[in-house]
Amino acid sequence: MDESPLPATIRDQWPWQPRFARANGWRMHYVDEGTGDPVVLLHGNPTWGFLYRDFVAPLTQAGHRVIIPDMVGFGLSEKPAQEEAHSLDGHIANLTALLRQLDLRRITLVCHDWGGPTGLGFALSNLDRMRALVVMSTWAWPLPPAEFHTRIFPWRMMHAPLVGPYLLGRHNALAGRGIYLSVVDRDKFRKRAQPAYDWVLPDPESRLVTWTWPRWIPLDATARALERFSWIERELAECRLPALIVWGREDDVFDHATFAGRFKQLLPHAEGPHLVTGRHFVQEDSSPEIAALIADFLARHPGER
Amino acid sequence: MAAINVITTPSLDGKRRAFVLAEDGIGHYPEFRAFFTDIFDLARVGLQRPGYLAAPSGTQYALVFTGRSGEPFPTGVEIYALVPALEPLDEEMVDRDLWEILRWMIGGVGGEWTLADLDATGRLYRLPAAVS
């Protein structure tokens, strides 16, 4: 265990002991609080575990062990300087390494954004370790993409060749303003949360994956992760794990009608979708409500021991 | 687009190449690779020499193209400002020049990639060079 490197203003909201593991060749940061069946909370791009800061207390008080990893390239985890260090399969393997190293069983996996394909990739290849799934503002199939992701303005332009390194690298546009644009209460976000997302991505090199991850979102049949996404969709349709779908009512990246609806088709036994206040980064607006939904859901689905 | 000019190999006497931006995936959208290939005759020139640009500030830039086994050339490009050897960079100037290089590139790529969308993206994310 190490001392937190975070400044006091961020530690006030994220006071937990930082822990580090060697996972699949990378230094991976995570927090591990409470006791009980583990709930693993997975962030996406360009966030880090901080996104789940208001989940820790209610879930540990509900009798769960809460584990929040920072994906490699984000937060306090190692940030490889080479684009080739990042792939969907590689990120799934990173997570698999961490969760096996912790020897977690009866896992509830909470997936958001890229935490969806990554977490579901782990869950569907480690079903014997799983208890339940929670999905929010994410996707799990190759095509079609979200309409937002097909648009030149602003999405494809933002990470276009050279534009991506300039806009998201030099100017930190995704963490610096992108999250802000994708929350409902922007004033609260700017005052309370924005510095924590900026602080962990201080230099252009540290932001590499913020512009390379968008390039992995399949837009057509030539996409490089197409087969993995197809596998995730096939396996998810066969999955009988208890599942909960939570979505931001105002989500304009993965709109709930299309995306929560498709998860419901794939997982017809799932509860929800429960709509809460929130755009894409729904945790920034509705953490207490979502944490309560998860705690209640797990209380009603104890699973087999 | 007239703000950026392709130039012949400039003198490097008394100058250094200062790294300012890199792109490892110039072919993520193939039309971007095609643009640079056409502009700098890369199918013929290959790795023999960089491409050179003069920016609105008067600063010259070297575009060093990179290749990776098994992928079409070029796979990437590194941009270097040619600056007085021992002087620090004027970061604001470089930032404005890079924005003009991006505008030159988008204007040249064309098709569905428009200057209007680039400028709108720059304004949305409040880039200093795009809102000034």
Side-chain angles (χ1 to χ4, degrees), chain A residues 84 162 166 171 177 215, chain B residues 23 28 68 95 124 127:
Chain A
E84 290 68 30
L162 281 173
Y166 178 83
H171 291 281
R177 188 157 161 84
R215 297 177 181 179
Chain B
E23 169 59 69
H28 176 68
R68 187 176 299 119
D95 206 66
L124 178 65
L127 296 184

Side-chain angles (χ1 to χ4, degrees), chain A residues 15-33:
Chain A
W16 300 286
Q17 176 71 47
R19 299 167 195 271
F20 293 92
R22 195 76 188 162
N24 194 35
W26 306 107
R27 181 176 51 82
M28 208 162 169
H29 168 258
Y30 64 103
V31 297
D32 187 345
E33 298 290 323

Side-chain angles (χ1 to χ4, degrees), chain B residues 20 51-53 55 59-63 79-82 93-94 97 101:
Chain B
V20 293
Y52 291 96
L53 301 173
T59 300
Q60 297 167 328
Y61 290 84
L63 274 59
I79 302 181
Y80 296 83
L82 307 181
M93 177 204 74
V94 168
D97 282 350
I101 291 172

Side-chain angles (χ1 to χ4, degrees), chain B residues 38-60:
Chain B
D38 290 346
I39 288 287
F40 294 107
D41 195 16
L42 295 178
R44 186 180 62 81
V45 172
L47 290 168
Q48 290 178 57
R49 60 175 178 269
Y52 291 96
L53 301 173
S57 66
T59 300
Q60 297 167 328

